Amino acid sequence: MDGDIKVVALWRYRKFSANGAPFVYQCTELVSSAGERESEICNYCVDILKAQNLQWGPTHTEIKYTSRFGPALIEINARWHAQNTFPVMVQCLNVDAVSAALDAYFDPESFRTLPR
């Protein structure tokens, strides 16, 4: 859908330093987008995608949130999330990013029914 942006999933990861490395991923977790902070992050994500004029296809957007500054863009890429999140998304959300992208191109009505 031309310019119809959907935040399909919101993920939180945790890092820590270990074995001399400045950061090691501890976990990645799927989180609800229903909270006030999460809603702010999703709205920010949509705003930065619009600002970059990214209107077609999936993006992986990394946003850092701090209580002092709120959301801040770390990176944005025109690609899917690099981890295999498909099974978790389907089980928890009954949708996945690949199917959502295909629906945007081939089944616009289904895509429209996805929540923002």
Side-chain angles (χ1 to χ4, degrees):
M1 298 293 302
D2 187 15
D4 188 10
I5 297 171
K6 306 286 186 173
V7 178
V8 177
L10 188 60
W11 297 87
R12 177 183 305 136
Y13 61 81
R14 300 186 195 284
K15 298 184 208 178
F16 63 98
S17 58
N19 301 324
F23 70 87
V24 175
Y25 284 89
Q26 179 184 24
C27 70
T28 302
E29 61 182 315
L30 180 62
V31 297
S32 170
S33 60
E36 186 176 317
R37 178 180 6 182
E38 291 79 9
S39 180
E40 182 181 359
I41 292 168
C42 290
N43 290 335
Y44 179 80
C45 181
V46 170
D47 289 345
I48 60 175
L49 291 171
K50 287 180 180 178
Q52 292 297 311
N53 201 29
L54 292 169
Q55 298 180 31
W56 290 94
T59 63
H60 167 77
T61 309
E62 186 175 346
I63 298 168
K64 182 175 184 171
Y65 189 94
T66 66
S67 57
R68 183 173 178 195
F69 297 109
L73 179 64
I74 301 299
E75 68 173 311
I76 187 169
N77 295 287
R79 63 169 174 80
W80 282 287
H81 192 288
Q83 296 180 359
N84 181 13
T85 59
F86 179 85
V88 174
M89 290 181 66
V90 170
Q91 189 71 26
C92 296
L93 303 174
N94 201 30
V95 68
D96 66 275
V98 175
S99 296
L102 291 172
D103 284 348
Y105 292 105
F106 302 112
D107 191 358
E109 278 307 309
S110 290
F111 185 76
R112 280 188 196 92
T113 65
L114 290 173
R116 182 177 179 216

